[in-house]
């Protein structure tokens, strides 16, 4: 990998770490989509190879059916680095000497980051949807694992949160600043940081490490995999599963399917997101 590519990748991973820390308190164990332009949907399949997560098709590709709930409103979300960002709004027609990139006719906002690891995150129009029940999914994955068509590194997306619009700004160093121009349709009432989501455009900045403002994103999702302790129990009692095991019509032990039906959590677990974010540019082959 050329030096410039390594530096760019390092900067992206560092920006993701700041972004992850900004959302951790509010969203806990949810996985974060990165970069934000990446599409993630309920039923997607990912492959985790020692912390490197890549796209690996969908449950539909593997003929695994599921029912998805209708989108439900999740409100809005704003994170301002715990008060570590100085915010100054400017209404259209006003003059403010602190603004150098905006003209008097512009409405906008000036953000000044006091700390290096600081981020402004705003999501507007959030909705969530997911699998109505994971019992069928647990049973399907048990069957495919027994048949050698699902391995321990595969993950299934079970829930997503979408946003109509988003704004994510990450400081590269203390003292970073950015001026953003707001759309003329914004500002009928008092301006707020939520107005930056989707409608703002960067007019000027210094020491800004990452910026993304746009619409129609899926910033958050949940995944499940076969529980490691369950896999260990299966190997201990029944031996290692071999590819093609199901070709000789050897049935799945009923006790395994009963476990999935009685309590999917005994079979499935939600792993933490690796330090390295999901990469959309590369994918692994369908291993079904």
């Amino acid at each position: 990998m050329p030096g410039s590519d390594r530096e760019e990748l390092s900067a992206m991973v560092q920006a993701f770490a700041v972004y992850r820390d900004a959302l951790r308190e509010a969203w806990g164990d949810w996985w974060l989509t990165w970069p934000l332009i990446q599409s993630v949907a309920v039923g997607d399949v990912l492959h985790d190879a020692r912390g490197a997560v890549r796209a690996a098709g969908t449950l539909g590709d593997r003929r695994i059916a599921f029912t998805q709930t209708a989108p439900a409103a999740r409100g809005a979300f704003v994170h301002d680095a715990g008060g570590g960002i100085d915010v100054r709004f400017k209404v259209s027609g006003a003059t403010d000497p602190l603004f150098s990139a905006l003209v008097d006719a512009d409405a906008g906002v000036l953000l000044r980051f006091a700390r290096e690891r600081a981020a402004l995150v705003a999501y507007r129009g959030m909705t969530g949807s997911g699998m109505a029940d994971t019992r069928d999914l647990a049973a399907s994955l048990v069957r495919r694992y027994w048949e050698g068509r699902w391995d321990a590194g595969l993950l299934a997306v079970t829930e997503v949160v979408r946003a109509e619009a988003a704004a994510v700004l990450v400081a590269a160093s203390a003292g970073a600043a950015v001026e953003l121009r707001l759309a003329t349709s914004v500002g009928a009432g008092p301006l707020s940081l939520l107005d930056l989501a989707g409608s703002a455009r960067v007019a000027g900045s210094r020491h800004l490490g990452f910026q993304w403002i746009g619409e129609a994103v899926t910033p958050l999702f949940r995944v499940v995999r076969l529980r490691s302790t369950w896999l260990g129990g299966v190997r201990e009692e029944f031996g290692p599963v071999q590819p093609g095991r199901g070709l000789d019509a050897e049935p799945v032990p009923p006790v395994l399917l009963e476990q999935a039906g009685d309590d999917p959590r005994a079979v499935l677990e939600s792993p933490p997101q690796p330090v390295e974010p999901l990469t959309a540019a590369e994918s692994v082959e369908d291993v079904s």
Side-chain angles (χ1 to χ4, degrees):
M1 180 183 295
S4 59
D5 291 342
R6 283 196 299 269
E7 292 174 0
E8 182 177 351
L9 177 60
S10 176
M12 285 292 289
V13 171
Q14 290 175 14
F16 173 74
V18 175
Y19 174 66
R20 180 192 61 218
D21 292 346
L23 271 66
R24 179 172 291 164
E25 182 176 350
W27 293 97
D29 61 354
W30 284 81
W31 282 38
L32 310 179
T33 305
W34 191 267
L36 286 169
I37 58 173
Q38 182 174 328
S39 175
V40 180
V42 175
D44 281 354
V45 176
L46 312 175
H47 188 267
D48 181 359
R50 298 180 180 179
V53 181
R54 302 291 183 266
T58 67
L59 292 176
D61 297 337
R62 294 164 168 79
R63 300 181 182 178
I64 299 176
F66 61 90
T67 302
Q68 184 172 345
T69 61
R74 300 281 308 240
F77 173 79
V78 176
H79 172 89
D80 68 348
I85 302 176
D86 179 61
V87 182
R88 189 178 184 92
F89 291 102
K90 176 185 175 302
V91 298
S92 177
T95 299
D96 190 324
L98 292 180
F99 289 81
S100 60
L102 301 184
V103 300
D104 290 354
D106 291 328
V109 60
L110 168 63
L111 304 177
R112 291 180 290 189
F113 298 81
R115 299 192 301 269
E116 179 180 359
R117 294 180 62 85
L120 183 285
V121 182
Y123 297 134
R124 176 167 49 83
M126 301 177 76
T127 58
S129 61
M131 292 187 183
D133 193 341
T134 57
R135 294 178 188 274
D136 290 341
L137 174 65
S140 294
L141 298 191
V142 166
R143 291 189 182 94
R144 278 157 180 77
Y145 175 74
W146 182 258
E147 296 166 357
R149 296 191 290 139
W150 186 276
D151 68 49
L154 289 174
L155 311 165
V157 177
T158 58
E159 193 173 358
V160 299
V161 170
R162 300 182 179 88
E164 292 179 357
V168 177
L169 304 166
V170 176
S173 62
V178 57
E179 289 184 44
L180 300 118
R181 182 180 293 109
L182 297 176
T184 55
S185 59
V186 175
L191 295 174
S192 73
L193 289 175
L194 199 57
D195 291 325
L196 302 182
S199 65
R201 295 293 179 267
V202 175
S205 66
R206 68 173 185 272
H207 308 309
L208 195 63
F210 176 84
Q211 63 183 55
W212 195 93
I213 300 173
E215 299 177 340
V217 295
T218 308
L220 299 146
F221 61 101
R222 289 188 186 276
V223 301
V224 296
R225 67 183 178 193
L226 291 174
R227 185 175 291 277
S228 56
T229 53
W230 181 86
L231 290 169
V234 172
R235 286 191 292 266
E236 182 177 348
E237 185 169 354
F238 300 100
V241 173
Q242 301 297 327
R245 184 175 197 166
L247 297 179
D248 59 2
E250 182 180 354
V252 182
V255 65
L256 300 183
L257 294 176
E258 290 172 4
Q259 289 173 345
D262 291 342
D263 184 5
R265 292 173 299 180
V267 174
L268 304 176
E269 64 181 357
S270 299
Q273 186 169 17
V275 174
E276 180 183 345
L278 171 64
T279 300
E282 300 178 20
S283 63
V284 299
E285 296 296 328
D286 187 334
V287 294
S288 62

